[in-house]
Amino acid sequence: MGLFLSMSGIIGKSEYEVEKCLRSYAEKKSGGLEIEELEHLDDNFCVINENQNSTTIFYPYALMEWDDVSIYISSELQCPVFSFHIHDGDLWMYLLYNKGELVDQFNPIPDYWDDNLSKVDIDEQKGNAKLISELIPDVKIEDINKYLVRWNLEDDESKAYQDDEFENIDWQIVDFMKKIGLEYPIDDSDKPKGKVYRLWTKELKKSNLEQKQTISESSINKGVWWKFWA
């Protein structure tokens, strides 16, 4: 069982605007959003963190609605929103929405779920550095295009840029986020950088202490609060 996590990266919007919008989404889904000092293993643990006038949402590991939330926020705030995902520790990927419409997507292993994808389907997941540079002020194509490549799984892992922290692995998402002005909202001591909330919806119920899913402490390292699927 590998690493699963999901986040939204909201470009050009404040923590206040994003919090208000996320609460609206949750309430429309028979849920809510409340500031609460939760433990990282709580089923409803959520972090919202602003950096350089852009904001990251770190979702509860059990939330399956990260794309839907990203679309909603992008539409409501009329802005670019990245829907980020690390899947089973094998890859990181994104869907990029602008004003609620899907405009770009990236997956370094595009045929991960289907070995028979057409070239058209594969090309749709290449990522578009030029488009991103047009949507985000001060982001240069040459600063991000080396992330948007198809991984050769037979080659040794290597860094996209010399100043990166991570190689071509799932954690490369942190380096990419940094280049586009988004901050990964967990520090190196596994502490949240932003405000901690309890987030729940109709699908993701409020957690019950007696029903908490047990996750081995040995699995806790940098970027603890993952979505784990059996």
Side-chain angles (χ1 to χ4, degrees):
M1 183 167 58
L3 166 65
F4 293 83
L5 74 83
S6 58
M7 295 179 285
S8 288
I10 301 91
I11 304 300
K13 298 299 177 180
S14 68
E15 178 183 330
Y16 171 78
E17 294 171 290
V18 171
E19 175 190 344
K20 183 178 179 181
C21 198
L22 180 58
R23 179 175 290 108
S24 171
Y25 173 88
E27 291 174 350
K28 288 178 183 294
K29 298 296 182 178
S30 303
L33 181 72
E34 301 172 346
I35 293 180
E36 188 171 343
E37 290 301 316
L38 300 178
E39 295 294 327
H40 51 63
L41 296 183
D42 192 284
D43 293 348
N44 303 107
F45 177 90
C46 175
V47 179
I48 302 178
N49 179 60
E50 181 180 347
N51 177 63
Q52 300 177 8
N53 197 39
S54 289
T55 302
T56 305
I57 304 172
F58 188 102
Y59 292 113
Y61 71 88
L63 182 79
M64 305 293 184
E65 304 164 61
W66 64 87
D67 286 338
D68 292 339
V69 182
S70 297
I71 294 169
Y72 181 84
I73 294 175
S74 178
S75 179
E76 290 295 306
L77 298 184
Q78 291 289 284
C79 68
V81 175
F82 287 86
S83 181
F84 291 117
H85 179 52
I86 287 180
H87 188 81
D88 204 15
D90 291 331
L91 59 88
W92 69 274
M93 60 184 291
Y94 71 71
L95 299 178
L96 174 58
Y97 301 95
N98 189 35
K99 300 179 181 179
E101 298 295 327
L102 179 64
V103 295
D104 187 30
Q105 55 185 308
F106 171 69
N107 184 336
I109 314 175
D111 49 358
Y112 180 86
W113 286 280
D114 185 353
D115 292 334
N116 298 311
L117 280 187
S118 68
K119 185 178 184 302
V120 172
D121 291 332
I122 289 174
D123 286 346
E124 286 178 349
Q125 301 177 66
K126 279 185 173 181
N128 189 329
K130 182 176 184 295
L131 175 63
I132 293 172
S133 71
E134 292 170 352
L135 290 175
I136 307 178
D138 301 323
V139 172
K140 298 178 181 179
I141 295 174
E142 59 266 28
D143 291 338
I144 60 172
N145 63 348
K146 291 183 180 179
Y147 296 116
L148 307 182
V149 298
R150 185 168 183 174
W151 290 351
N152 184 339
L153 301 181
E154 296 180 358
D155 287 348
D156 291 336
E157 296 165 350
S158 59
K159 292 182 178 181
Y161 297 90
Q162 288 187 349
D163 61 345
D164 283 349
E165 183 177 359
F166 300 100
E167 300 171 335
N168 287 344
I169 57 174
D170 50 358
W171 278 114
Q172 189 183 64
I173 193 172
V174 176
D175 291 317
F176 176 77
M177 290 173 67
K178 188 183 300 182
K179 292 289 179 66
I180 61 174
L182 292 167
E183 184 175 46
Y184 182 72
I186 311 297
D187 68 19
D188 289 337
S189 300
D190 295 330
K191 302 297 182 184
K193 293 182 179 180
K195 293 180 182 177
V196 178
Y197 296 81
R198 179 182 295 279
L199 171 65
W200 74 99
T201 65
K202 183 178 180 180
E203 297 299 322
L204 176 62
K205 306 296 185 182
K206 266 191 172 183
S207 61
N208 184 317
L209 290 177
E210 295 181 356
Q211 297 175 347
K212 275 187 179 297
Q213 179 176 352
T214 300
I215 300 178
S216 170
E217 290 294 334
S218 65
S219 69
I220 299 173
N221 46 37
K222 178 175 173 56
V224 179
W225 309 282
W226 310 127
K227 181 191 332 181
F228 286 93
W229 293 336

